Amino acid sequence: MSIRLLLADDQALVRGALAALLALEPDLEVVSELGDGTQVAAAVAEHRVDVALLDIDMPGLDGIEAARAITAGGTGCRSLIVTTFGRPGYLRRALEAGASGFVVKDTPADQLAEAVRTVHAGQRVVDPTLAAETLVSGSNPLTVRERDVLRAAQDGSSVRQIAAALFLSPGTVRNHLSSAIGKTHTANRTEAALAARDHGWL
C-alpha cells in the first residue's frame, strides 16, 4: 500500500516540484495539493491522507495551525513541516501543535522521502541543526497576550487600533508592548515584532 500524501504550499512552483520528486518513489502517492492552509483538515479527511507535508507561511491558516487542525481531526494523519523558515521558535510551536516532523526545503529528495516514511511509521523527524539551535535558544519568552499585541502591531496599527481590535484598553496594550520590547531587547514595537517573527515566536 502506498503512503498517501497531501502537499500544502502557497508557492505553486515549489508544490509542483515536491509532488514530482515524491511521485518518483514507488511507495509514495500524492493525492492532494493545496495552496491554502484553511482547506487542509477537510482534504485530509476527504482523501484519507496518511502524511501531510505543510509549509509554514500560507494564507488563511499557516502550516503550524493546519497541523493543529489535523491533530484535532483525529484521522490519524501525521504532519511534516517542510519549510524555508528554519527557526527554533517555529520548531517548538510545530511540535506543540502535534506535528511529527520538521525539515527545511533544501533537504535532499531521498532524505525527504525517508522522513515521510519515518513519520508515517509513528516516529519523529527533526532537522538536527534546528534541534540543537532550539535547545540553545530556550522557550518563547512572550506571553500569549504579548504575541497577540505584536501581531496586531506588525501592520503599523496605532495603540488605539490595536486596543479596539483585541478588546483591550490602550493602557494594557502599551504595557504589553513595553514588556515585549524589553524581552526582545529592541527599541520599539516595530523592531520587537520583527525580532519576534524572526525567532518564530509569533
Side-chain angles (χ1 to χ4, degrees), residues 1-194:
M1 292 288 289
S2 295
I3 300 173
R4 297 169 65 82
L5 307 179
L6 174 147
L7 303 182
D9 192 306
D10 64 334
Q11 296 182 355
L13 191 62
V14 173
R15 195 169 65 241
L18 279 175
L21 287 170
L22 292 169
L24 296 174
E25 300 292 328
D27 59 335
L28 305 182
E29 179 186 4
V30 178
V31 296
S32 181
E33 296 182 44
L34 300 171
D36 187 326
T38 57
Q39 305 166 23
V40 167
V44 162
E46 179 184 350
H47 297 283
R48 294 177 290 109
V49 174
D50 296 312
V51 179
L53 286 76
L54 310 171
D55 184 28
I56 286 183
D57 195 13
M58 290 189 291
L61 203 67
D62 68 30
I64 293 173
E65 291 308 311
R68 194 184 307 280
I70 289 171
T71 302
T75 61
C77 175
R78 298 186 175 276
S79 304
L80 176 61
I81 303 293
V82 184
T83 182
T84 52
F85 300 106
R87 296 168 182 159
Y90 283 139
L91 170 58
R92 192 180 300 276
R93 285 176 52 211
L95 296 179
E96 288 172 353
S100 298
F102 196 111
V103 297
V104 291
K105 283 182 180 174
D106 59 3
T107 300
D110 60 333
Q111 291 182 27
L112 179 58
E114 197 53 43
V116 168
R117 296 183 187 105
T118 301
V119 164
H120 180 252
Q123 300 172 47
R124 275 191 170 171
V125 176
V126 176
D127 179 272
T129 303
L130 195 56
E133 289 176 1
T134 299
L135 288 173
V136 171
S137 68
S139 60
N140 186 342
L142 301 173
T143 66
V144 172
R145 267 306 185 197
E146 287 165 358
R147 292 197 293 267
D148 289 342
V149 168
L150 283 183
R151 282 192 200 97
Q154 287 183 108
D155 63 0
S157 295
S158 68
V159 168
R160 288 195 175 278
Q161 289 171 323
I162 295 170
L166 298 178
F167 303 103
L168 299 171
S169 72
T172 299
V173 169
R174 288 191 188 92
N175 288 340
H176 286 313
L177 286 172
S178 176
S179 178
I181 289 167
K183 289 178 180 178
T184 54
H185 308 290
T186 52
N188 54 56
R189 60 185 174 174
T190 302
E191 289 182 9
L194 287 172

